[in-house]
Amino acid sequence: MSVKSTAAGGPPAKGRGRTSPRGHAAKPRTGEPGLVQLLTPEGERVEHADYAIDLTPEELRGLYRDMVLTRRFDAEAITLQRQGELGLWASLLGQEAAQIGSGRATRPDDYVFPTYREHGVAWTRDVDPLNLLGMFRGVNHGGWDPNENNFQLYTIVIGSQTLHATGYAMGVAKDGADAAVIAYFGDGASSQGDVAEAFTFAAVYNAPVVFFCQNNQWAISEPTEKQSRVPIYQRAAGYGFPGVRVDGNDVLAVLAVTRAALEHARSGQGPMLVEAFTYRMGAHTTTDDPTRYRRDEEREEWASKDPIARLKTYLEREGFADEDFYAGIDAESDALAKRVREGVRNMPNPGTMAIFENVYADGSALVDEERAQFAAYQASFEDAAAGSSAGTGH
Amino acid sequence: MTQTMAVAKALNESLRKALENDPKVLIMGEDVGKLGGVFRITDGLHKDFGEGRVIDTPLAESGIVGTAIGLALRGYRPVVEIQFDGFVFPAYDQIVTQLAKMHARALGKIKLPVVIRIPYGGGIGAVEHHSESPEALFAHIPGLKVVSPSNPSDAYWMLQQAIECDDPVIFFEPKRRYWDKGEVDVSALPGDLHRAVVAQQGTDITLAAYGPMVKVCLEAAAAAANEGRSLEVVDLRSLSPIDFDTIQASVERTGRLVVVHEAPVFYGAGAEIAARITERCFYHLEAPVLRVGGFHAPYPPARLEEEYLPGLDRVLDAVDRALAF
Ligand SMILES: Cc1ncc(C[n+]2csc(CCOP(=O)(O)OP(=O)(O)O)c2C)c(N)n1
Ligand SMILES: [Mg+2]
């Protein structure tokens, strides 16, 4: 069970040819050792011994579009939070490649278990961006139907979802289906007992699950060194499954590695850990103040590795996109932002009695009683307004 | 030596004093270092006491509490911060099966002076898991002491006392009161950590509350006073043990009791108080003990919390019902 063997299960490495690095470099270059990279920060295509990818210009433009629209959505959400339309927002700024690359590697029948920051992955699963905003506005705790897009609800309790993903994958294997499951988690989450237990279960049951760790270098104010002495991907070895570190700001490498990892899972070879090495460019959430714990220079350093800029450089160098394309994306971004803005502002508050809804699938006499008491209590205000003052209930 | 400060600042000063007074006191938790905690309760302590005493831990609550137990066994006095109420549960196993029971298991030969600080309760417009009131889940466990201050002075002194206590103390901080200011006399000798106090004297009915709901009850008392009703407010301060004597004395004067908390009423602290007070004061009671609290439903999304949380109207409604008996 080696990483190398899994790459063979990935997409065919030859065929369309046009985007192969050999097209513009005399000698194939290789990226940083230990980090799978197919597109350098300077926008140059490089080869990797184990992971190949060959995309059409149209596919490349698609990835670019995904990332730009996701970033625009994210920026709009931050603005809406500042305007008081959202209570909170967890920005994905800087992590677009990690999320779009991995999300686009999934098939419709795969199943995704996200954290609270996977807005880009949600985009690739065709989850309406407006649906993501409900919980941040405070009108629900998630609210979308997880089974509609095989995209679970956001999980706030750190690490929990890695176990759910593992169990789901165990079920997929029992059913003899060839789908795979992908569990997202952060560098901070890698310390949680739940994550360690998920690794154990996945390994023991050879579950078809990919553990996708976005190492964005920070868990709120704590740098990754506070969580681990070894690179996170190396943890997999101790559990007996492969781990790989990919340049998380390189959408091509993330796509190639995640495809291979999902294929590894689907083909019965069990779990795999992917560490996407990236950076949280913004605050942890809109309530956080990163100036208290990290240097500006670090952020600037990472800004030079921006996932969108490097793909744009590549597209331009190769002549894969023209002015019309960029203008079209600008217009689409504006339209998306407008739709999100208006959608959020018009998002209705739930009715008070929603408190008592869906507490149980089979109902509960206790909930019924409390609901009735509370309804009577609320009605008493109307009675009082009408001249009576009888009050009942809680 | 009276100073005006907010609850958050009082807690911060209290931790500072504890670190100064006793080299064995340690602070542990997620983001308690440079950041000073998400609520800034440990602000400046990392800078002044160093990372050997103010420890940014890995993101693992079971690990935090489990290692705090080990440090306590070695003679330290860890003060652990859990970032939010809803995140204590990965540590619940360590708290319930180990922290609470080790003293008894060792026939009293070891002590576990661990304080677990938990910002709790709603009212800050947060997302899921950031607004809960799980105190009953801890008060139910023998071996744990559970307290909750309602004002800056108690925040300051009760934390001192919790840290000095040789038993594990779960210290619930009313997060929506962090910014409320009050007088703190840092030189006054405090009373017992587990005694309740009469926060407002009255004659018609007793309201018993703790933490964030004390303020609501005091406001209810003020509103009722305008209508000629005299409400007594007892600030429980401690949920395990509970100072039933103080509640009893109050109820013997007023004949009526309403218990108020944010936590769900079902199996909540109010149930225990109602049962014990009924037993102790049956012939003094003019009405059944009533409870005002949360519903048997998950804490709702932020836009519903104003309706969910017991406010002035719900408290006064219960007062009306008790007085109507
Ligand atoms: C069990 C638990 N403990 C604490 C928290 C509070 N918290 C929210 S996000 C976070 C840091 C997460 O860091 P990481 O896993 O690296 O993900 P990132 O936010 O960087 O995407 C913490 C401590 C939580 N949500 N759940
Ligand atoms: Mg992180």
Side-chain angles (χ1 to χ4, degrees):
Chain A
M1 195 162 34
S2 78
V3 181
K4 201 162 180 165
S5 70
T6 68
K14 60 182 174 118
R16 306 175 198 101
R18 284 185 59 192
T19 68
S20 151
R22 277 173 295 276
H24 62 84
K27 226 171 27 170
R29 296 184 30 174
T30 53
E32 214 179 295
L35 182 78
V36 179
Q37 190 176 72
L38 298 175
L39 190 63
T40 69
E42 295 75 36
E44 267 188 73
R45 274 288 271 120
V46 290
E47 292 279 23
H48 190 278
D50 301 328
Y51 297 95
I53 197 155
D54 188 17
L55 301 175
T56 63
E58 196 188 342
E59 287 169 323
L60 288 166
R61 284 195 299 270
L63 294 172
Y64 179 83
R65 172 180 172 273
D66 286 341
M67 291 199 289
V68 171
L69 290 181
T70 299
R71 181 172 287 185
R72 179 58 180 267
F73 165 66
D74 187 74
E76 194 57 38
I78 293 173
T79 305
L80 285 164
Q81 194 279 334
R82 298 228 166 95
Q83 295 169 349
E85 297 290 344
L86 300 179
L88 181 81
W89 184 245
S91 167
L92 68 13
L93 186 65
Q95 299 176 218
E96 294 87 354
Q99 296 198 10
I100 297 300
S102 58
R104 285 291 175 214
T106 62
R107 288 191 331 211
D109 60 331
D110 291 340
Y111 211 109
V112 177
F113 286 79
T115 74
Y116 41 81
R117 207 189 287 286
E118 264 65 84
H119 323 311
V121 185
W123 171 264
T124 67
R125 301 295 300 181
D126 291 330
V127 176
D128 186 334
L130 267 178
N131 280 347
L132 304 177
L133 297 173
M135 62 179 273
F136 292 100
R137 184 169 168 85
V139 301
N140 58 42
H141 288 317
W144 61 87
D145 177 356
N147 292 328
E148 202 169 300
N149 305 83
N150 283 11
F151 185 80
Q152 256 301 327
L153 296 171
Y154 278 179
T155 305
I156 292 175
V157 179
I158 300 292
S160 292
Q161 74 283 359
T162 57
L163 278 166
H164 312 156
T166 301
Y168 193 94
M170 288 160 61
V172 168
K174 275 186 195 305
D175 294 345
D178 82 332
V181 180
I182 184 165
Y184 287 84
F185 63 108
D187 43 286
S190 71
S191 295
Q192 278 290 7
D194 276 7
V195 174
E197 292 174 25
F199 287 4
T200 297
F201 275 69
V204 166
Y205 295 105
N206 201 43
V209 56
V210 172
F211 296 108
F212 193 92
C213 178
Q214 283 170 91
N215 178 355
N216 62 7
Q217 314 301 325
W218 292 92
I220 308 186
S221 73
E222 298 193 22
T224 311
E225 303 83 75
K226 295 277 180 199
Q227 315 291 345
S228 184
R229 255 165 83 155
V230 298
I232 289 166
Y233 78 94
Q234 287 181 6
R235 293 223 180 136
Y239 292 88
F241 55 85
V244 58
R245 178 182 273 185
V246 61
D247 181 343
N249 286 15
D250 170 355
V251 71
L252 302 186
V254 174
L255 179 60
V257 167
T258 314
R259 269 184 184 169
L262 288 166
E263 201 46 45
H264 176 89
R266 281 190 204 104
S267 60
Q269 296 178 80
M272 191 161 156
L273 171 61
V274 177
E275 176 188 1
F277 206 68
T278 180
Y279 194 73
R280 193 195 81 210
M281 293 296 285
H284 169 70
T285 66
T286 43
T287 59
D288 179 38
D289 174 12
T291 62
R292 290 180 69 101
Y293 54 79
R294 73 182 189 187
R295 297 171 302 117
D296 252 7
E297 301 88 80
E298 184 183 275
R299 192 183 180 280
E300 280 158 29
E301 233 172 85
W302 278 91
S304 70
K305 301 177 190 168
D306 185 69
I308 296 182
R310 77 170 77 175
L311 184 57
K312 188 171 191 192
T313 306
Y314 179 60
L315 288 176
E316 286 179 348
R317 183 179 307 126
E318 299 292 325
F320 288 159
D322 57 16
E323 284 309 311
D324 282 356
F325 169 71
Y326 295 115
I329 288 193
D330 280 350
E332 252 193 297
S333 292
D334 290 344
L336 174 65
K338 183 161 179 277
R339 189 170 84 79
V340 164
R341 207 159 45 234
E342 286 169 0
V344 165
R345 291 192 178 134
N346 294 325
M347 217 176 255
N349 285 345
T352 307
M353 288 300 147
I355 291 171
F356 302 96
E357 276 165 27
N358 299 311
V359 181
Y360 296 93
D362 287 342
S364 151
L366 175 60
V367 176
D368 293 345
E369 184 187 339
E370 292 198 352
R371 181 198 286 115
Q373 282 177 350
F374 191 57
Y377 164 73
Q378 291 219 304
S380 73
F381 287 96
E382 283 146 37
D383 296 348
S388 141
S389 66
T392 58
H394 261 280
Chain B
M1 275 245 296
T2 298
Q3 293 166 250
T4 305
M5 59 177 98
V7 168
K9 182 65 180 164
L11 293 167
N12 176 266
E13 289 292 333
S14 190
L15 290 172
R16 177 175 290 279
K17 185 162 172 237
L19 286 164
E20 278 166 1
N21 287 354
D22 184 351
K24 293 295 188 189
V25 169
L26 304 175
I27 291 177
M28 305 169 64
E30 294 156 9
D31 307 289
V32 298
K34 264 193 193 163
L35 183 64
V38 295
F39 288 109
R40 311 291 185 260
I41 304 300
T42 58
D43 189 26
L45 301 179
H46 179 266
K47 185 166 140 274
D48 294 344
F49 295 92
E51 61 184 348
R53 310 243 358 242
V54 181
I55 304 166
D56 262 339
T57 65
L59 205 179
E61 289 77 8
S62 181
I64 296 169
V65 173
T67 56
I69 291 172
L71 283 157
L73 294 175
R74 181 66 192 178
Y76 287 89
R77 303 186 88 83
V79 183
V80 160
E81 174 173 306
I82 297 293
Q83 205 159 75
F84 281 91
D85 34 68
F87 305 140
V88 67
F89 298 106
Y92 198 60
D93 168 46
Q94 286 289 343
I95 294 171
V96 173
T97 67
Q98 306 304 325
L99 186 61
K101 293 180 176 160
M102 274 184 158
H103 180 71
R105 189 182 298 144
L107 301 176
K109 295 206 165 34
I110 54 174
K111 292 172 182 164
L112 278 301
V114 176
V115 175
I116 300 180
R117 298 179 33 242
I118 308 178
Y120 82 121
I124 63 160
V127 294
E128 202 184 358
H129 315 294
H130 292 72
S131 307
E132 293 166 10
S133 300
E135 59 272 18
L137 299 179
F138 297 88
H140 196 62
I141 306 300
L144 301 177
K145 289 178 172 170
V146 181
V147 301
S148 181
S150 69
N151 59 64
S153 176
D154 279 353
Y156 182 86
W157 283 113
M158 288 170 70
L159 187 52
Q160 291 292 309
Q161 293 171 303
I163 295 169
E164 279 163 20
C165 177
D166 280 337
D167 290 309
V169 179
I170 314 296
F171 193 89
F172 280 102
E173 300 174 0
K175 69 169 87 81
R176 67 167 146 148
R177 306 290 178 226
Y178 271 153
W179 305 278
D180 287 8
K181 289 194 172 153
E183 299 289 299
V184 180
D185 185 346
V186 297
S187 58
L189 280 178
D192 187 86
L193 174 61
H194 299 291
R195 86 181 196 292
V197 298
V198 175
Q200 164 82 51
Q201 288 189 337
T203 52
D204 297 342
I205 185 167
T206 302
L207 299 182
Y210 52 89
M213 293 311 294
V214 171
K215 186 176 177 183
V216 173
C217 289
L218 291 172
E219 287 166 0
N226 291 334
E227 294 170 10
R229 282 174 177 164
S230 171
L231 274 50
E232 177 144 306
V233 178
V234 174
D235 181 351
L236 296 173
R237 301 169 79 251
S238 175
L239 295 172
S240 179
I242 291 177
D243 176 4
F244 289 109
D245 291 348
T246 296
I247 310 172
Q248 178 178 353
S250 174
V251 172
E252 284 177 0
R253 284 194 301 275
T254 63
R256 290 176 170 88
L257 175 63
V258 174
V259 188
V260 183
H261 47 64
E262 284 187 26
V265 163
F266 195 59
Y267 285 100
E272 181 59 38
I273 293 167
R276 298 251 179 185
I277 291 302
T278 302
E279 217 173 302
R280 285 182 178 219
C281 324
F282 190 66
Y283 292 107
H284 292 271
L285 283 169
E286 310 278 348
V289 179
L290 298 183
R291 292 169 290 159
V292 180
F295 304 111
H296 189 67
Y299 194 91
R303 299 230 168 194
L304 286 179
E305 73 178 340
E306 215 175 294
E307 279 112 325
Y308 173 89
L309 287 171
L312 204 62
D313 287 337
R314 296 241 305 271
V315 172
L316 290 175
D317 173 69
V319 166
D320 285 349
R321 284 186 287 128
L323 288 170
F325 256 90

